[in-house]
Amino acid sequence: MKKVEYAAGFLVILCVVIGGKIFLGSSDLYFRLLIGAGLGYTLSRAYTGFAGSVYRAYKTGSTRLMRTMTLMFLITAFLTAAFLFGSDPASYNLWINPINLGLIIGAFLFGFGMSLSECCATGVLTIFPSALPKAFITLFFFGLGVFLGFPIQRTASWVNDSWFSTEVGLKLAGGVFLPDLFKGDGFGGYLGAILITTLFSGIVVYACYTYEKHRIETNTYTGHPLEIMQEQLKPMNAKTFKLFSAQTYEHVFVKPWTLREGAVGLALLFMFLMGVTKAGWGASTPFGIWVGKLFMLFGMSPESIANFTHMSADAFTLPFFRHGASVQNFGILVGAFIYLLTAGQFVQAFKSGLRMRKKETAVFALGGICMGLGTRLANGCNVGALYSPIANLSLSGWIFLVFMVAGGILSCKIRSKITE
């Protein structure tokens, strides 16, 4: 069976590389498919995801994922600063999100839903091949929450207006672009922006270590099994290396990456994406568009959907594989499939993922709709409102992080009482 999975995995790779080029036609769409597949593969192989940063810490006491994510934020911010230095930042579609009540409530709602569902916008795509019922329920209600939140995002001043603005922020989205606060540092503000980003990262890491130490001292620390397994895996023995052998295949295609390796991979993919598209990484908006398309299948007109959402009808009538963000999200799903198949884990993971208690159905549905609504209030998910803004040197990402964690902690407390 594993050999069949291996063959299927490489067939999917060929379909993506060759079929994607032929079918999509556009070089931009083809690039988005490839970058999405890379993101999905990396997230799956490193057993990582933004949602686990709070849930894992609460459940096991391990803050390793949160610390690794913070390292990823810092690495990408350094790369972004180097990328933008000497150029006009306004020529890029940077994620300088507004700082307002919408950001705070949206981040809290998103964190609350994220811990209920144990996944986020990208997470639901990467778990789809291995946890179909959970992924399908979360995906639908996530999309429904995004769809219902579209009119609020488009019309509410408390979601769009910013309490603070800087020069670049005024040009883009009315937020705070950190280099604007340090114009006199001799490096266009980027040195100061990196220093403050390093400071914020240090505070997060310190808080993580303090919390983990407390869990150890109170004998409530268990560690996360996947993280323990990842760290215990040994590198390939160069002395016994054989090009065509089961051992080599195991290391090249099966062996999980560590969290740090995943973080570096995601940071590099982020910069490839930004370098080609001149924009950051977003994932949540297509979910609401997909729900709108579903409603159209049941007879709703594009005009009525456009009137409700305050969006152009073109967003819902544009074919799926002509919409860049949808293609990129599809690529994330494909990337997850590729890893599971080439690692020979698809069948086993799929079978284990079919088990779901009835009570969990309602929990995942509530989590999905909270996340979806939260993305509209905060103008993004933990990719579009957390990772991309921090990487793009926006203050809003750090504020999102604080309230996302707060929502996630409350959610974990409630979820443990519901599901026990």
Side-chain angles (χ1 to χ4, degrees):
M1 179 58 71
K2 285 196 174 185
K3 290 182 180 179
V4 173
E5 290 186 61
Y6 297 157
F10 288 106
L11 180 60
V12 173
I13 293 174
L14 284 175
C15 289
V16 170
V17 175
I18 300 174
K21 181 65 174 178
I22 296 171
F23 178 74
L24 293 174
S26 164
S27 58
D28 177 69
L29 291 173
Y30 181 59
F31 172 77
R32 286 186 176 276
L33 175 65
L34 295 180
I35 207 76
L39 292 168
Y41 185 89
T42 304
L43 287 165
S44 298
R45 187 158 185 179
Y47 291 104
T48 189
F50 298 90
S53 58
V54 178
Y55 183 76
R56 286 188 188 183
Y58 182 87
K59 194 75 174 176
T60 70
S62 172
T63 61
R64 184 173 292 170
L65 180 56
M66 176 65 84
R67 288 184 274 119
T68 304
M69 281 177 49
T70 305
L71 173 65
M72 180 179 71
F73 297 159
L74 185 60
I75 290 173
T76 317
F78 266 98
L79 293 173
T80 298
F83 199 78
L84 295 176
F85 184 72
S87 63
D88 180 10
S91 64
Y92 290 83
N93 184 21
L94 300 179
W95 293 69
I96 315 298
N97 291 355
I99 299 171
N100 50 32
L101 186 61
L103 177 68
I104 292 172
I105 297 176
F108 188 89
L109 260 181
F110 189 89
F112 186 87
M114 180 183 74
S115 291
L116 281 181
S117 295
E118 302 174 32
C119 64
C120 56
T122 54
V124 72
L125 296 172
T126 55
I127 67 167
F128 215 98
S130 58
L132 185 59
K134 171 184 173 180
F136 181 80
I137 291 166
T138 305
L139 176 66
F140 174 76
F141 283 96
F142 186 104
L144 182 61
V146 173
F147 183 83
L148 295 175
F150 276 145
I152 303 174
Q153 182 187 28
R154 298 284 167 166
T155 61
S157 60
W158 55 279
V159 174
N160 294 289
D161 295 342
S162 187
W163 294 335
F164 314 101
S165 296
T166 60
E167 181 183 349
V168 171
L170 287 171
K171 293 180 183 178
L172 298 175
V176 176
F177 184 52
L178 291 175
D180 284 342
L181 304 179
F182 303 97
K183 287 293 189 182
D185 67 1
F187 294 89
Y190 291 104
L191 176 60
I194 287 299
L195 290 177
I196 198 70
T197 299
T198 303
L199 174 63
F200 290 158
S201 299
I203 292 172
V204 172
V205 171
Y206 176 78
C208 286
Y209 275 120
T210 301
Y211 171 77
E212 196 168 298
K213 180 181 178 183
H214 169 73
R215 292 290 295 266
I216 293 172
E217 291 174 346
T218 55
N219 294 319
T220 57
Y221 178 91
T222 61
H224 195 278
L226 285 176
E227 295 174 359
I228 296 171
M229 178 269 292
Q230 286 171 289
E231 292 301 322
Q232 290 178 342
L233 291 172
K234 297 180 180 179
M236 183 184 296
N237 189 336
K239 294 181 179 179
T240 60
F241 171 78
K242 292 182 180 180
L243 182 59
F244 298 104
S245 68
Q247 181 192 24
T248 300
Y249 187 93
E250 178 82 14
H251 279 271
V252 175
F253 294 105
V254 180
K255 176 187 171 185
W257 291 339
T258 65
L259 291 176
R260 286 184 291 273
E261 289 169 340
V264 172
L266 290 173
L268 293 175
L269 287 167
F270 183 98
M271 294 312 300
F272 278 126
L273 178 65
M274 187 173 168
V276 173
T277 66
K278 291 198 169 186
W281 177 15
S284 57
T285 299
F287 288 75
I289 294 175
W290 300 345
V291 168
K293 288 179 177 291
L294 180 63
F295 288 157
M296 287 168 57
L297 291 177
F298 286 91
M300 288 187 68
S301 68
E303 292 73 24
S304 62
I305 292 176
N307 288 335
F308 172 78
T309 59
H310 294 269
M311 296 171 62
S312 169
D314 293 342
F316 301 96
T317 57
L318 184 69
F320 182 94
F321 286 105
R322 293 294 177 267
H323 186 259
S326 292
V327 170
Q328 189 169 301
N329 277 357
F330 177 74
I332 292 174
L333 174 63
V334 171
F337 266 108
I338 289 173
Y339 172 63
L340 289 176
L341 287 170
T342 55
Q345 299 176 7
F346 173 72
V347 173
Q348 180 182 353
F350 183 77
K351 285 181 178 179
S352 63
L354 292 176
R355 307 187 196 103
M356 188 174 71
R357 292 181 293 175
K358 293 180 180 179
K359 190 182 293 185
E360 290 178 323
T361 302
V363 172
F364 294 146
L366 177 61
I369 203 162
C370 286
M371 282 192 291
L373 283 170
T375 67
R376 297 309 90 197
L377 303 183
N379 290 294
C381 58
N382 49 17
V383 170
L386 175 64
Y387 183 24
S388 287
I390 290 178
N392 287 173
L393 307 175
S394 172
L395 180 61
S396 65
W398 293 105
I399 296 173
F400 183 94
L401 176 63
V402 171
F403 287 96
M404 181 198 77
V405 170
I409 292 172
L410 176 62
S411 174
C412 286
K413 292 179 181 294
I414 294 174
R415 190 183 193 282
S416 62
K417 292 180 180 180
I418 293 174
T419 56
E420 284 178 355

Short mmCIF file of all heavy atoms in Angstrom, two decimals, residues 40-77:
data_model
loop_
_atom_site.label_atom_id
_atom_site.label_comp_id
_atom_site.label_asym_id
_atom_site.label_seq_id
_atom_site.Cartn_x
_atom_site.Cartn_y
_atom_site.Cartn_z
N GLY A 40 2.00 24.36 1.83
CA GLY A 40 1.27 23.22 2.37
C GLY A 40 2.19 22.07 2.73
O GLY A 40 2.02 21.42 3.77
N TYR A 41 3.17 21.82 1.88
CA TYR A 41 4.13 20.73 2.13
C TYR A 41 4.94 21.03 3.38
O TYR A 41 5.13 20.16 4.23
CB TYR A 41 5.05 20.58 0.92
CG TYR A 41 6.00 19.41 1.03
CD1 TYR A 41 5.64 18.15 0.57
CD2 TYR A 41 7.27 19.56 1.57
CE1 TYR A 41 6.50 17.06 0.67
CE2 TYR A 41 8.15 18.50 1.68
CZ TYR A 41 7.76 17.25 1.22
OH TYR A 41 8.62 16.19 1.34
N THR A 42 5.42 22.26 3.50
CA THR A 42 6.25 22.64 4.65
C THR A 42 5.46 22.57 5.95
O THR A 42 5.95 22.04 6.96
CB THR A 42 6.82 24.05 4.45
OG1 THR A 42 7.55 24.10 3.21
CG2 THR A 42 7.74 24.43 5.59
N LEU A 43 4.25 23.12 5.94
CA LEU A 43 3.41 23.09 7.14
C LEU A 43 3.13 21.65 7.57
O LEU A 43 3.14 21.33 8.77
CB LEU A 43 2.09 23.81 6.87
CG LEU A 43 2.15 25.34 6.78
CD1 LEU A 43 0.87 25.90 6.16
CD2 LEU A 43 2.39 25.96 8.15
N SER A 44 2.89 20.77 6.60
CA SER A 44 2.58 19.38 6.92
C SER A 44 3.81 18.62 7.39
O SER A 44 3.75 17.87 8.38
CB SER A 44 1.98 18.68 5.69
OG SER A 44 0.77 19.29 5.30
N ARG A 45 4.92 18.79 6.68
CA ARG A 45 6.10 18.01 7.02
C ARG A 45 6.74 18.45 8.33
O ARG A 45 7.36 17.64 9.03
CB ARG A 45 7.12 18.08 5.88
CG ARG A 45 8.29 17.14 6.11
CD ARG A 45 9.03 16.77 4.87
NE ARG A 45 10.06 15.78 5.15
CZ ARG A 45 10.87 15.26 4.25
NH1 ARG A 45 10.75 15.61 2.97
NH2 ARG A 45 11.77 14.38 4.59
N ALA A 46 6.59 19.72 8.67
CA ALA A 46 7.14 20.20 9.94
C ALA A 46 6.13 20.07 11.07
O ALA A 46 6.41 20.47 12.20
CB ALA A 46 7.59 21.66 9.81
N TYR A 47 4.96 19.49 10.77
CA TYR A 47 3.90 19.32 11.76
C TYR A 47 3.68 20.62 12.53
O TYR A 47 3.64 20.64 13.77
CB TYR A 47 4.25 18.18 12.74
CG TYR A 47 4.21 16.83 12.11
CD1 TYR A 47 5.40 16.17 11.77
CD2 TYR A 47 3.01 16.19 11.83
CE1 TYR A 47 5.38 14.91 11.18
CE2 TYR A 47 2.97 14.94 11.23
CZ TYR A 47 4.16 14.30 10.91
OH TYR A 47 4.12 13.06 10.32
N THR A 48 3.55 21.68 11.78
CA THR A 48 3.41 22.98 12.41
C THR A 48 2.13 23.64 11.94
O THR A 48 1.46 23.18 11.02
CB THR A 48 4.63 23.87 12.08
OG1 THR A 48 4.58 25.05 12.86
CG2 THR A 48 4.64 24.28 10.61
N GLY A 49 1.80 24.73 12.57
CA GLY A 49 0.60 25.48 12.22
C GLY A 49 0.42 26.58 13.25
O GLY A 49 0.81 26.43 14.42
N PHE A 50 -0.16 27.66 12.84
CA PHE A 50 -0.30 28.81 13.74
C PHE A 50 -1.24 28.50 14.91
O PHE A 50 -1.07 28.99 16.01
CB PHE A 50 -0.82 30.01 12.95
CG PHE A 50 0.10 30.47 11.87
CD1 PHE A 50 0.01 29.97 10.58
CD2 PHE A 50 1.09 31.41 12.14
CE1 PHE A 50 0.87 30.39 9.59
CE2 PHE A 50 1.97 31.83 11.15
CZ PHE A 50 1.86 31.32 9.86
N ALA A 51 -2.27 27.68 14.65
CA ALA A 51 -3.28 27.41 15.67
C ALA A 51 -2.70 26.71 16.89
O ALA A 51 -3.11 26.95 18.02
CB ALA A 51 -4.41 26.57 15.08
N GLY A 52 -1.73 25.83 16.66
CA GLY A 52 -1.18 25.06 17.77
C GLY A 52 -0.37 25.87 18.75
O GLY A 52 -0.06 25.39 19.84
N SER A 53 -0.02 27.10 18.39
CA SER A 53 0.84 27.90 19.26
C SER A 53 0.22 28.13 20.63
O SER A 53 0.91 28.15 21.64
CB SER A 53 1.14 29.25 18.59
OG SER A 53 -0.06 29.94 18.32
N VAL A 54 -1.09 28.31 20.67
CA VAL A 54 -1.79 28.51 21.94
C VAL A 54 -2.28 27.18 22.49
O VAL A 54 -2.10 26.87 23.68
CB VAL A 54 -2.97 29.48 21.77
CG1 VAL A 54 -3.72 29.66 23.10
CG2 VAL A 54 -2.48 30.83 21.26
N TYR A 55 -2.91 26.37 21.64
CA TYR A 55 -3.53 25.12 22.10
C TYR A 55 -2.48 24.16 22.67
O TYR A 55 -2.70 23.54 23.71
CB TYR A 55 -4.28 24.47 20.94
CG TYR A 55 -5.02 23.21 21.34
CD1 TYR A 55 -6.22 23.29 22.05
CD2 TYR A 55 -4.52 21.95 21.03
CE1 TYR A 55 -6.89 22.15 22.43
CE2 TYR A 55 -5.18 20.80 21.41
CZ TYR A 55 -6.38 20.91 22.11
OH TYR A 55 -7.05 19.77 22.49
N ARG A 56 -1.35 24.01 22.00
CA ARG A 56 -0.30 23.11 22.49
C ARG A 56 0.23 23.57 23.84
O ARG A 56 0.47 22.77 24.74
CB ARG A 56 0.85 23.03 21.49
CG ARG A 56 0.57 22.23 20.25
CD ARG A 56 1.86 22.05 19.44
NE ARG A 56 1.61 21.45 18.14
CZ ARG A 56 2.56 21.13 17.27
NH1 ARG A 56 3.83 21.36 17.57
NH2 ARG A 56 2.26 20.59 16.10
N ALA A 57 0.43 24.89 23.95
CA ALA A 57 0.98 25.42 25.20
C ALA A 57 0.02 25.17 26.36
O ALA A 57 0.44 24.79 27.46
CB ALA A 57 1.26 26.91 25.05
N TYR A 58 -1.26 25.36 26.13
CA TYR A 58 -2.26 25.16 27.18
C TYR A 58 -2.39 23.68 27.53
O TYR A 58 -2.47 23.30 28.70
CB TYR A 58 -3.60 25.71 26.74
CG TYR A 58 -4.69 25.59 27.79
CD1 TYR A 58 -4.85 26.59 28.76
CD2 TYR A 58 -5.52 24.49 27.83
CE1 TYR A 58 -5.83 26.48 29.73
CE2 TYR A 58 -6.51 24.37 28.81
CZ TYR A 58 -6.66 25.37 29.76
OH TYR A 58 -7.63 25.26 30.72
N LYS A 59 -2.39 22.85 26.50
CA LYS A 59 -2.64 21.42 26.70
C LYS A 59 -1.43 20.69 27.29
O LYS A 59 -1.58 19.83 28.15
CB LYS A 59 -3.00 20.79 25.35
CG LYS A 59 -3.62 19.41 25.43
CD LYS A 59 -5.06 19.46 25.89
CE LYS A 59 -5.71 18.08 25.84
NZ LYS A 59 -7.08 18.11 26.36
N THR A 60 -0.25 21.01 26.83
CA THR A 60 0.94 20.24 27.21
C THR A 60 1.98 21.04 27.99
O THR A 60 2.91 20.45 28.55
CB THR A 60 1.63 19.68 25.96
OG1 THR A 60 2.23 20.76 25.22
CG2 THR A 60 0.64 18.94 25.06
N GLY A 61 1.87 22.37 27.98
CA GLY A 61 2.87 23.20 28.63
C GLY A 61 4.02 23.57 27.73
O GLY A 61 4.84 24.44 28.07
N SER A 62 4.10 22.98 26.55
CA SER A 62 5.20 23.26 25.63
C SER A 62 4.93 24.54 24.84
O SER A 62 3.89 24.67 24.20
CB SER A 62 5.39 22.10 24.65
OG SER A 62 6.33 22.44 23.65
N THR A 63 5.87 25.46 24.88
CA THR A 63 5.76 26.71 24.11
C THR A 63 6.72 26.70 22.93
O THR A 63 7.01 27.74 22.35
CB THR A 63 6.07 27.92 25.01
OG1 THR A 63 7.42 27.81 25.50
CG2 THR A 63 5.11 27.99 26.18
N ARG A 64 7.23 25.52 22.59
CA ARG A 64 8.23 25.42 21.52
C ARG A 64 7.70 25.96 20.20
O ARG A 64 8.40 26.65 19.46
CB ARG A 64 8.69 23.98 21.36
CG ARG A 64 9.81 23.79 20.34
CD ARG A 64 10.31 22.36 20.37
NE ARG A 64 11.00 22.08 21.62
CZ ARG A 64 11.38 20.86 22.00
NH1 ARG A 64 11.10 19.81 21.25
NH2 ARG A 64 12.03 20.68 23.13
N LEU A 65 6.43 25.66 19.89
CA LEU A 65 5.86 26.12 18.63
C LEU A 65 5.73 27.65 18.61
O LEU A 65 6.05 28.29 17.61
CB LEU A 65 4.50 25.47 18.38
CG LEU A 65 3.78 25.87 17.08
CD1 LEU A 65 4.66 25.61 15.87
CD2 LEU A 65 2.46 25.11 16.94
N MET A 66 5.25 28.22 19.71
CA MET A 66 5.13 29.68 19.78
C MET A 66 6.49 30.34 19.65
O MET A 66 6.66 31.34 18.95
CB MET A 66 4.47 30.09 21.09
CG MET A 66 4.38 31.60 21.30
SD MET A 66 3.31 32.43 20.11
CE MET A 66 1.71 32.20 20.90
N ARG A 67 7.51 29.78 20.29
CA ARG A 67 8.86 30.35 20.20
C ARG A 67 9.41 30.23 18.79
O ARG A 67 10.08 31.14 18.29
CB ARG A 67 9.79 29.65 21.20
CG ARG A 67 9.50 30.02 22.65
CD ARG A 67 10.49 29.41 23.61
NE ARG A 67 10.11 28.06 24.02
CZ ARG A 67 10.81 26.98 23.81
NH1 ARG A 67 11.97 27.06 23.15
NH2 ARG A 67 10.42 25.80 24.24
N THR A 68 9.12 29.11 18.15
CA THR A 68 9.60 28.91 16.77
C THR A 68 8.89 29.87 15.82
O THR A 68 9.52 30.42 14.91
CB THR A 68 9.36 27.46 16.33
OG1 THR A 68 9.98 26.58 17.26
CG2 THR A 68 9.94 27.22 14.95
N MET A 69 7.59 30.06 16.04
CA MET A 69 6.85 31.03 15.22
C MET A 69 7.43 32.43 15.37
O MET A 69 7.57 33.17 14.39
CB MET A 69 5.37 31.03 15.62
CG MET A 69 4.55 29.90 15.06
SD MET A 69 2.85 29.95 15.67
CE MET A 69 2.43 31.67 15.38
N THR A 70 7.77 32.78 16.60
CA THR A 70 8.34 34.10 16.85
C THR A 70 9.68 34.26 16.13
O THR A 70 9.99 35.32 15.57
CB THR A 70 8.52 34.33 18.36
OG1 THR A 70 7.27 34.11 19.02
CG2 THR A 70 8.99 35.74 18.65
N LEU A 71 10.48 33.19 16.13
CA LEU A 71 11.73 33.20 15.37
C LEU A 71 11.45 33.40 13.88
O LEU A 71 12.15 34.17 13.21
CB LEU A 71 12.48 31.89 15.60
CG LEU A 71 13.73 31.67 14.73
CD1 LEU A 71 14.81 32.70 15.06
CD2 LEU A 71 14.27 30.25 14.92
N MET A 72 10.42 32.74 13.38
CA MET A 72 10.05 32.88 11.98
C MET A 72 9.63 34.33 11.67
O MET A 72 10.01 34.89 10.64
CB MET A 72 8.91 31.93 11.64
CG MET A 72 8.44 31.99 10.20
SD MET A 72 7.11 30.80 9.86
CE MET A 72 5.75 31.55 10.78
N PHE A 73 8.87 34.93 12.57
CA PHE A 73 8.47 36.33 12.38
C PHE A 73 9.71 37.21 12.28
O PHE A 73 9.80 38.09 11.40
CB PHE A 73 7.63 36.81 13.57
CG PHE A 73 6.32 36.10 13.75
CD1 PHE A 73 5.68 36.11 14.99
CD2 PHE A 73 5.71 35.42 12.71
CE1 PHE A 73 4.48 35.46 15.17
CE2 PHE A 73 4.50 34.76 12.88
CZ PHE A 73 3.88 34.78 14.12
N LEU A 74 10.67 36.98 13.18
CA LEU A 74 11.87 37.82 13.22
C LEU A 74 12.72 37.62 11.97
O LEU A 74 13.20 38.60 11.38
CB LEU A 74 12.68 37.49 14.48
CG LEU A 74 13.90 38.37 14.74
CD1 LEU A 74 13.50 39.83 14.89
CD2 LEU A 74 14.62 37.88 16.01
N ILE A 75 12.90 36.37 11.55
CA ILE A 75 13.68 36.10 10.34
C ILE A 75 13.06 36.79 9.14
O ILE A 75 13.74 37.45 8.34
CB ILE A 75 13.77 34.58 10.09
CG1 ILE A 75 14.64 33.89 11.14
CG2 ILE A 75 14.35 34.30 8.70
CD1 ILE A 75 14.63 32.38 11.05
N THR A 76 11.74 36.66 9.01
CA THR A 76 11.07 37.25 7.85
C THR A 76 11.10 38.76 7.90
O THR A 76 11.21 39.42 6.87
CB THR A 76 9.61 36.75 7.76
OG1 THR A 76 9.54 35.36 8.04
CG2 THR A 76 9.04 36.99 6.38
N ALA A 77 11.01 39.33 9.09
CA ALA A 77 11.10 40.80 9.22
C ALA A 77 12.48 41.29 8.79
O ALA A 77 12.61 42.32 8.11
CB ALA A 77 10.81 41.20 10.66
#
